[in-house]
Amino acid sequence: MEISPLDKARRQAFRLLSLRARSEKEIRDRLTANHGGEITAEVIRQLQDEGFLNDEAFARERARQLAVRRLEGNRAIEADLFRKGIDRPMITGAIHAAREELSEPEAIRKLLAKRGQPPAPPDRSWTQKTGRYLLSKGFSAGLIFEVLNE
């Protein structure tokens, strides 16, 4: 018995979703490469109707994971979600929801605690190195400066 192209595409989509949650763009990109636009559009419509594909829920969970577990800054979270095809208003809402659980200053303090005690008093090279590290985690320079000078 031959499996229809639509069923093949659905199977691939479910395999992708079984590994981790994904955005509509991620599924669309992967399916389009193998199955073409019409079949991909139909599979995505079906997945959305059945509740397996929801960009808003994906964005909220991804933002929470990055903010609380990985201790990323808002800029890094925004960039990650944007790459995954989430639109700006949804990104803003997801970040806001994640920050209700753990604010950016609290995340910076947790990262600093993980890195150990600074030299007493903190010297310029430690401050610069720590600042660069926090910038790489997606925190704004003003917030970093504020927390480091507490």
Side-chain angles (χ1 to χ4, degrees), residues 23-26 55 80-87 91:
S23 68
E24 177 185 329
K25 179 188 179 299
E26 290 177 295
D55 274 356
D80 181 83
L81 291 174
F82 189 72
R83 277 191 308 273
K84 294 185 181 303
I86 307 300
D87 60 13
I91 291 172

Side-chain angles (χ1 to χ4, degrees), residues 89-123:
M90 225 180 279
I91 291 172
T92 302
I95 291 173
H96 180 72
R99 289 301 172 203
E100 287 178 0
E101 188 171 341
L102 181 72
S103 70
E104 270 193 303
E106 289 171 336
I108 290 175
R109 288 184 198 99
K110 278 187 164 189
L111 284 168
L112 292 175
K114 279 183 165 184
R115 288 179 70 92
Q117 295 297 320
D123 61 357

Side-chain angles (χ1 to χ4, degrees), residues 22-124:
R22 295 178 191 265
S23 68
E24 177 185 329
K25 179 188 179 299
E26 290 177 295
I27 296 291
R28 182 179 309 282
D29 290 349
R30 295 290 293 270
L31 293 182
T32 301
N34 296 325
H35 304 286
E38 279 185 38
I39 290 174
T40 298
E42 178 60 23
V43 168
I44 287 176
R45 186 194 60 75
Q46 289 175 3
L47 292 172
Q48 288 171 333
D49 290 348
E50 295 165 1
F52 293 112
L53 198 56
N54 180 335
D55 274 356
E56 188 170 349
F58 168 79
R60 285 184 180 270
E61 181 53 35
R62 181 73 179 162
R64 183 185 176 284
Q65 177 186 23
L66 293 173
V68 176
R69 293 188 191 136
R70 293 192 187 171
L71 302 173
E72 298 278 342
N74 288 355
R75 290 186 0 220
I77 296 168
E78 182 178 356
D80 181 83
L81 291 174
F82 189 72
R83 277 191 308 273
K84 294 185 181 303
I86 307 300
D87 60 13
R88 298 263 183 222
M90 225 180 279
I91 291 172
T92 302
I95 291 173
H96 180 72
R99 289 301 172 203
E100 287 178 0
E101 188 171 341
L102 181 72
S103 70
E104 270 193 303
E106 289 171 336
I108 290 175
R109 288 184 198 99
K110 278 187 164 189
L111 284 168
L112 292 175
K114 279 183 165 184
R115 288 179 70 92
Q117 295 297 320
D123 61 357
R124 184 178 178 142

